[in-house]
Amino acid sequence: MMKLFWPKNIEFKVAIEQLSSYKPNLPFDQEIMAFTQALSKRFLRMRELPEVVALGYWLRKANVKEMQTAFEQGAVQKIIRARGTVFHIAPSNVDTIFVYSWMLSLLAGNRNVIRISSKEQNGLNVLLHTIIEELARNEFQKIANQTIICTYGHEENITALLSVACQTRVIWGGDETISAIREIPLAPLANELAFPDRFSLAVLNSEVIFKLDEVQLDSLLDQFYNDVFWFDQMACSSPRLITWCGENQQAINRFWSAFEHKIQQKQYELMAATQVLKYTTTLMLATESKVENLKNGTYFSRVTLSDVPVDVRERHCGGGLFYEYKVDKLEELADVLIDKDQTIAYFGFKREELESLVEAISTRGIDRIVPIGKALDFNGVWDGQSFLTSFTREVVII
């Protein structure tokens, strides 16, 4: 069933017809810049929702200006224009992702249709309420006219209507969702960005961790906790496989013991259903030949692997389930990386070591290598694609 959050008091088909009558903006239009700042200020005040605060921080003026500067440097003596209308299909597991996608499309100058997940989420309700309040302000009338926010189930006829009406389609979702939506035709000149299921990992240098004092270790664990538990380990960039480089078992034991204390300190509560799913998943994994050891704890479970096959990756259920794998040298990690792997969060390595790892990778895998604590940070380049490039087009005059 279709539900239209914005615009209000109007039929959906009328809203679609009206949308295309509004001219797209120039990239980094002043009203758009003001709108991003208004949202940023409000999001930064939502302290009970750290993922929304992170979104507000990303939208702060300095960061948007930095994006503008980089964009304009790449557009010197070029005529860059918006593509027109961008249709965003948001995922259900990360309720802030549609805002990142929308904001970048908006900064590129496009009109936007956002289909959010119909899954009920308190954080999403607060986020939506704030966005709608800002759209209703008189000073953002132009953006309000160029925006549709809706939700609906699996009605392919609605997706087909929106797909034909857009110049760019952005799909966030599982592999099956993307395959199903790709069956629905786009307009001939439209392009598409798809962000399917991905798998991410962390790599830690046990020798470096061994030398940390208590304050340094506590800081590392704070960052690691955020990467893992902000979205119950279900974000595509949340570490699920923990790779230990080096043989310092004392450091590894210290890390996990201190991490258990950190979770208690944070008063993290895992839903009972997730706890049961995690426990049953580990029991099923125990039958795998690649599983060397298994430890089920109150707050997290650890599964030591001799290899990381695809079917083991697919069984991961989030909620504090950690696969563990050991290598002697960082480059050896390349042996288990596959196309599906997206982000490596690291600690205790120099840039040259990370570059050597990239050189050793023979698959399509790994698009991001970031310090632990930055795994969930959004960037204008995601899964190897530049949003501002994909959301714009170049007009050539010879």
Side-chain angles (χ1 to χ4, degrees), residues 83-86 111 163-169 187 189-192:
R83 292 192 61 86
T85 299
V86 177
R111 302 176 294 252
S163 295
V164 170
C166 74
Q167 282 71 47
T168 297
R169 183 167 67 186
L189 284 172
N191 68 339
E192 181 174 79

Side-chain angles (χ1 to χ4, degrees), residues 114-264:
I114 303 114
R115 178 213 173 180
I116 61 172
S117 170
S118 55
K119 186 179 173 183
E120 286 296 318
Q121 297 175 7
N122 292 331
L124 180 55
N125 291 337
V126 173
L127 192 64
L128 257 185
H129 181 72
T130 303
I131 287 166
I132 289 166
E133 281 187 348
E134 291 302 318
L135 285 171
R137 287 170 55 180
N138 290 334
E139 58 261 49
F140 301 134
Q141 186 65 50
K142 182 166 66 174
I143 297 167
N145 290 339
Q146 296 170 338
T147 304
I148 293 175
I149 305 175
C150 63
T151 189
Y152 58 90
H154 297 285
E155 292 92 337
E156 287 189 3
N157 60 320
I158 301 175
T159 301
L161 175 70
L162 292 170
S163 295
V164 170
C166 74
Q167 282 71 47
T168 297
R169 183 167 67 186
V170 185
I171 315 169
W172 300 88
D175 295 351
E176 290 181 12
T177 298
I178 287 172
S179 294
I181 292 171
R182 278 182 163 165
E183 293 290 319
I184 299 170
L186 280 167
L189 284 172
N191 68 339
E192 181 174 79
L193 284 73
F195 299 95
D197 288 332
R198 300 297 298 270
F199 185 91
S200 293
L201 54 147
V203 57
L204 302 107
N205 189 323
S206 63
E207 296 299 338
V208 175
I209 287 177
F210 181 73
K211 296 173 184 174
L212 297 180
D213 62 30
E214 292 305 313
V215 174
Q216 291 169 327
L217 179 61
D218 189 67
S219 176
L220 171 63
L221 292 170
D222 257 328
Q223 300 300 317
F224 184 70
Y225 175 90
N226 291 343
D227 280 351
V228 172
F229 284 120
W230 267 12
F231 298 105
D232 284 341
Q233 209 181 10
M234 293 306 292
C236 61
S237 56
S238 293
R240 300 175 187 182
L241 169 67
I242 311 303
T243 303
W244 292 100
C245 188
E247 285 292 331
N248 197 314
Q249 190 60 45
Q250 189 177 340
I252 296 171
N253 294 341
R254 181 189 178 209
F255 177 90
W256 288 119
S257 176
F259 187 54
E260 185 169 7
H261 180 70
K262 174 60 66 178
I263 298 172
Q264 291 172 335

Side-chain angles (χ1 to χ4, degrees), residues 254-378:
R254 181 189 178 209
F255 177 90
W256 288 119
S257 176
F259 187 54
E260 185 169 7
H261 180 70
K262 174 60 66 178
I263 298 172
Q264 291 172 335
Q265 190 184 72
K266 296 279 188 180
Q267 298 182 321
Y268 175 74
E269 289 186 24
L270 197 61
M271 290 174 60
T274 308
Q275 282 278 35
V276 172
L277 178 60
K278 185 172 61 176
Y279 183 67
T280 54
T281 300
T282 56
L283 292 181
M284 285 192 293
L285 285 166
T287 64
E288 289 278 345
S289 61
K290 303 299 181 183
V291 172
E292 295 182 336
N293 194 12
L294 193 157
K295 292 180 181 177
N296 269 319
T298 306
Y299 300 101
F300 55 84
S301 298
R302 295 166 56 194
V303 179
T304 306
L305 302 171
S306 61
D307 193 10
V308 196
V310 175
D311 62 329
V312 170
R313 281 175 167 84
E314 297 298 334
R315 288 188 184 187
H316 200 284
C317 62
L321 174 58
F322 295 104
Y323 297 154
E324 287 185 270
Y325 181 74
K326 289 183 180 179
V327 294
D328 294 323
K329 294 181 180 179
L330 187 59
E331 291 94 331
E332 293 172 17
L333 179 57
D335 296 338
V336 297
L337 296 176
I338 63 173
D339 290 358
K340 191 183 185 79
D341 297 330
Q342 184 210 56
T343 298
I344 295 176
Y346 68 89
F347 181 82
F349 299 95
K350 296 176 182 176
R351 184 180 179 89
E352 306 86 72
E353 294 174 279
L354 300 170
E355 288 176 352
S356 295
L357 171 61
V358 173
E359 286 297 317
I361 298 171
S362 59
T363 65
R364 159 68 181 82
I366 305 303
D367 291 308
R368 304 171 66 236
I369 300 179
V370 300
I372 282 181
K374 301 288 185 183
L376 300 176
D377 285 9
F378 194 81

Side-chain angles (χ1 to χ4, degrees), residues 14-29:
V14 175
I16 290 293
E17 288 169 6
Q18 287 185 359
L19 184 73
S20 60
S21 69
Y22 295 106
K23 183 182 177 183
N25 302 303
L26 291 175
F28 294 91
D29 175 90

